[in-house]
Amino acid sequence: MLAYFAENHDSPMATTPEVKTAVRDLLRHGGFKPTGRNKPASEYLRQAVDKGWFGPDKGINLAVDLCNVVSLHSGIPISVLDAHLAVQGWSITIAAQDASYAFNPAGQVIDIGGLVVFNDAAGPCGGPVKDSQRTKTHEATTMTLSIIWGTEALPGRSAAIYEWYTALVKGCGLRVQEVAVEHLDPA
């Protein structure tokens, strides 16, 4: 689905160098260094599509595929977590300098110290670079939680992304429900 949309779909927005800079600045807010393997997920998506890593038969699941389409075109990272695995008590904070989590089934770990992250009651589990394996969607996922990692440096962009993303989700016959997440920014 992602490769199809990347090449065959008119998007209501496109990424720009200004978007890339604003997203990287958001990631730097708490001291995180968004380079190399720690680049924003939206940049990884562009690289993956350009290298042909996504094809018509390589979709993940509908929720993640829709998220990836919007993230790819908008340049803004979006997390999609399994809402049943993300334990209630949600917040968005800057991760402690020694924080990390496994991000894939092989158990590879990302150091998220200083990164803006989504937390559940068990700790950090999502972010604009990679999401935690602990709360990732899977074949049996029936409800997701999406976080658009927008920035005030791009006025109106997060709202436009939300409108487009929810229109795509609803267009597939799925429901959208907004939830409150506490934002605790120590900086």
Side-chain angles (χ1 to χ4, degrees):
M1 175 184 264
L2 183 59
Y4 171 80
F5 268 92
E7 298 175 8
N8 302 305
H9 187 71
D10 290 330
S11 166
M13 65 184 62
T15 191
T16 65
E18 293 79 20
V19 170
K20 181 177 177 178
T21 298
V23 169
R24 283 181 172 243
D25 287 348
L26 170 70
L27 274 59
R28 289 184 188 104
H29 178 74
F32 188 78
K33 293 179 178 58
T35 59
R37 292 183 178 200
N38 291 337
K39 66 181 163 237
S42 48
E43 290 181 31
Y44 169 79
L45 282 172
R46 171 50 55 201
Q47 177 185 15
V49 168
D50 290 348
K51 290 184 176 187
W53 296 346
F54 285 99
D57 60 337
K58 295 184 182 174
I60 299 170
N61 65 43
L62 183 57
V64 173
D65 291 346
L66 292 173
C67 155
N68 285 345
V69 166
V70 175
S71 183
L72 173 72
H73 287 287
S74 69
I76 302 295
I78 302 173
S79 292
V80 178
L81 309 175
D82 185 308
H84 293 294
L85 297 177
V87 182
Q88 287 284 335
W90 301 335
S91 64
I92 293 176
T93 63
I94 301 296
Q97 289 304 316
D98 61 348
S100 64
Y101 52 63
F103 65 87
N104 66 17
Q108 288 181 294
V109 173
I110 180 173
D111 176 1
I112 57 168
L115 180 64
V116 59
V117 293
F118 176 82
N119 305 279
D120 70 359
C125 60
V129 176
K130 292 175 176 60
D131 294 323
S132 167
Q133 183 64 29
R134 178 173 64 80
T135 54
K136 278 191 179 172
T137 62
H138 51 89
E139 302 80 33
T141 297
T142 59
M143 187 177 355
T144 61
L145 175 67
S146 299
I147 301 101
I148 298 170
W149 295 102
T151 170
E152 292 176 351
L154 301 167
R157 193 166 189 90
S158 295
I161 291 167
Y162 174 80
E163 292 302 321
W164 181 32
Y165 183 41
T166 57
L168 288 175
V169 169
K170 290 175 182 177
C172 291
L174 305 173
R175 290 183 326 171
V176 173
Q177 177 182 345
E178 291 185 35
V179 296
V181 175
E182 188 175 359
H183 181 214
L184 307 169
D185 187 358

